[in-house]
Amino acid sequence: MKVLLLKDPKDNESGPDPYVEELRLHGFEATLIPVLSFEFVSLRSLFEKITHPEDYGGLIFTSPRAVEAVKLCLAENDKNEAWVNSLKEKWQSKPVYVVGKATAVLVSVIGLIPQGEESGNAEKLAAFICSRESPDSSSPLLFPCGAIKREVLPKILREKSISMESLVVYQTAQHPAIKESLGSYFVQAGIPSSVTFFSPSGVKFCLGHIQALSGASIDHIKFAAIGPTTTEALTTEGIRVSCTAKNPTPQDLALGLKAALEL
C-alpha cells in the first residue's frame, strides 16, 4: 500500500523519518518528498530579543523552523556561551508554549521546557495559553514565526488581552526540485493509494502537479491531511479529504490512514 508524504524531513535525530517508520510498521510503503524550502531572516533582531528575557513573559513556537531560527542565533561560540551561562536559565523560568511533538523536541534540545505540545493546532494552543496567562500583562509573549502564518492564535490572544510580540524569522518557498521529484515518483511507483499533505503551503505548491500527474486516476487516491488547517486548504481546492489526523503525530496519521483505506 503506497503512501506519498508531502512534508519536509525531520529536523532532529538520526535514522528514518518518524512518519515513514510508523507507517512502515503499519504495513504502508511510505515515500517522503520535501515540498518547502526556508530562508531565515531577522536573526540579529531575534538574538537581540533572546538576550533580554526580562522583557518577555515567555515564548511561543508553532513550528520547528522557528526553533531552528533560535538555534541559528546561538550557533556562534560567544553567543552560545552566553546562552549556556545565563540566558537559558532565565528563559527556563518562563513558559515556552509549543504546538506538536516535533517542535517540543527541538525546544528541549536547546534546553527549554515545552508546554502545550498536545494542543495539536493553533486554536487549541491559544486556549491553553489563555488558561495560564494573565490578561493585560506588561510583559508580552515573544512569538518567532514564519512570514506565512494564520492569524488565529494572535487574534484569540488579542481578544483575551494576552500581550504578544510577533517577529518573522523565516520565509517559506516552493522546494526547487518538487516538480521533478513528483514526476519521478509517479513514473517509478505509479498512482499511490494515499497522498498526505502537511501544510497549506504544500497544497499550494503540489496539488496542481499531482492532479496533472494523476489524470483521471486521481479519483482513486485517498487524500489525507495532518490537521484541520491543511484539510481546509484541500477542501477549498475541491479535494475530498478522507483522513485528517486527530493529532499531528505519526501514530495518529497511521491510524487515520488505516481507517480511510479500510485496512
Side-chain angles (χ1 to χ4, degrees):
M1 191 72 73
K2 293 183 174 64
V3 175
L4 179 58
L5 306 178
L6 299 175
K7 69 181 291 287
D8 291 285
K10 60 179 183 169
D11 300 274
N12 58 294
E13 312 161 68
S14 58
D17 182 272
Y19 283 90
V20 172
E21 181 65 13
E22 184 67 24
L23 289 172
R24 183 188 67 79
L25 294 174
H26 285 80
F28 294 103
E29 183 183 334
T31 300
L32 184 155
I33 293 181
V35 299
L36 305 176
S37 62
F38 300 92
E39 177 188 1
F40 292 98
V41 298
S42 305
L43 295 184
R44 183 174 297 179
S45 296
L46 177 59
F47 183 71
E48 181 65 24
K49 295 178 186 300
I50 291 293
T51 57
H52 291 89
E54 67 278 3
D55 292 342
Y56 299 97
L59 287 160
I60 302 175
F61 293 110
T62 57
S63 73
R65 299 299 167 190
V67 190
E68 286 290 335
V70 174
K71 289 179 66 177
L72 285 173
C73 286
L74 304 175
E76 298 177 19
N77 288 336
D78 57 336
K79 294 178 179 178
N80 189 60
E81 185 177 349
W83 175 260
V84 171
N85 290 341
S86 63
L87 292 175
K88 179 171 69 173
E89 183 178 357
K90 292 177 180 178
W91 281 108
Q92 284 175 338
S93 67
K94 302 172 184 291
V96 181
Y97 300 109
V98 305
V99 168
K101 290 187 177 180
T103 305
V105 168
L106 289 178
V107 165
S108 298
V109 168
I110 62 173
L112 301 180
I113 303 171
Q115 299 182 27
E117 65 183 85
E118 301 297 336
S119 301
N121 59 52
E123 291 90 337
K124 292 180 181 178
L125 180 64
F128 181 85
I129 293 172
C130 290
S131 71
R132 285 158 174 76
E133 293 293 324
S134 300
D136 302 313
S137 171
S138 59
S139 299
L141 298 170
L142 179 59
F143 179 31
C145 58
I148 302 175
K149 72 176 189 303
R150 296 176 70 213
E151 291 300 319
V152 172
L153 187 145
K155 181 175 183 291
I156 293 174
L157 295 190
R158 281 196 303 269
E159 290 174 349
K160 298 295 184 179
S161 299
I162 305 296
S163 180
M164 185 193 71
E165 181 180 323
S166 300
L167 176 67
V168 172
V169 295
Y170 67 92
Q171 297 174 340
T172 305
Q174 177 177 319
H175 193 286
I178 183 62
K179 185 175 181 179
E180 179 182 353
S181 298
L182 285 170
S184 296
Y185 175 85
F186 275 79
V187 167
Q188 296 172 18
I191 304 296
S193 299
S194 176
V195 176
T196 300
F197 287 87
F198 283 73
S199 69
S201 295
V203 175
K204 175 183 176 182
F205 297 140
C206 298
L207 182 59
H209 296 313
I210 289 174
Q211 289 171 321
L213 290 164
S214 303
S217 297
I218 197 169
D219 293 335
H220 301 296
I221 298 175
K222 299 283 189 179
F223 285 92
I226 197 61
T229 307
T230 306
T231 293
E232 182 181 346
L234 284 165
T235 302
T236 299
E237 295 296 329
I239 298 297
R240 180 178 179 274
V241 179
S242 300
C243 162
T244 301
K246 185 178 180 180
N247 294 294
T249 67
Q251 295 76 19
D252 284 306
L253 178 61
L255 292 174
L257 286 176
K258 287 187 71 173
L261 296 170
E262 300 178 347
L263 297 180

